[in-house]
Amino acid sequence: MTERVVVGELPVGGSEPLISSAVRWGDLLFLSGRAPIDTTTMEVVSSDFREQARNVLDQIVASLAEAASSPEHVLRVQCYLLRADDFGAWNELWAEYFPAPRPVRTTLVTGFTVPGMLVEVEVTAGTPT
């Protein structure tokens, strides 16, 4: 029987984990959405899009490693941008972090509840066997 396994936890605004960092189900790994937020202070890490996106992508790479996966095993990415003008920078970082053949992706322009937040990214990956 397949079992739900939590891999890491995210303490958001306190010491008690509020969100699972990732959940493994069989060979699939589902990461929580990553935002450019310092989880201790609940402050946005920078006002610069590239710095925010790099922070988010670095968080994703770390979570993948914690779950014995890597960017090469990412299957699907959902990205949320505050501004359509950041799409070009997002594509450049995307190509840097995800090797070819790249995963499928959806990118939406939306609003965020946290002032100053410019990007959030959600990932589904496989785990090598």
Side-chain angles (χ1 to χ4, degrees), residues 3-62:
E3 181 181 335
R4 178 178 173 260
V5 178
V6 172
V7 182
E9 298 173 315
L10 297 172
V12 180
S15 59
E16 182 179 342
L18 180 63
I19 302 168
S20 294
S21 177
V23 172
R24 182 188 323 261
W25 182 264
D27 293 338
L28 292 176
L29 182 66
F30 302 90
L31 272 62
S32 289
R34 292 301 195 277
I37 305 292
D38 180 322
T39 56
T40 305
T41 65
M42 295 305 293
E43 297 290 324
V44 176
V45 297
S46 170
S47 61
D48 178 74
F49 175 79
R50 286 180 184 274
E51 287 180 31
Q52 286 194 23
R54 235 178 238 297
N55 174 277
V56 165
L57 290 165
D58 289 343
Q59 288 180 54
I60 288 168
V61 170

Side-chain angles (χ1 to χ4, degrees), residues 59-103:
Q59 288 180 54
I60 288 168
V61 170
S63 289
L64 289 169
E66 182 180 9
S69 190
S70 65
E72 293 81 21
H73 300 291
V74 172
L75 305 170
R76 182 170 192 237
V77 175
Q78 292 175 268
C79 178
Y80 306 93
L81 303 176
L82 181 67
R83 304 180 304 228
D85 291 348
D86 291 324
F87 193 74
W90 169 239
N91 277 339
E92 289 174 23
L93 290 166
W94 165 264
E96 180 182 329
Y97 277 79
F98 295 99
R102 293 184 175 85

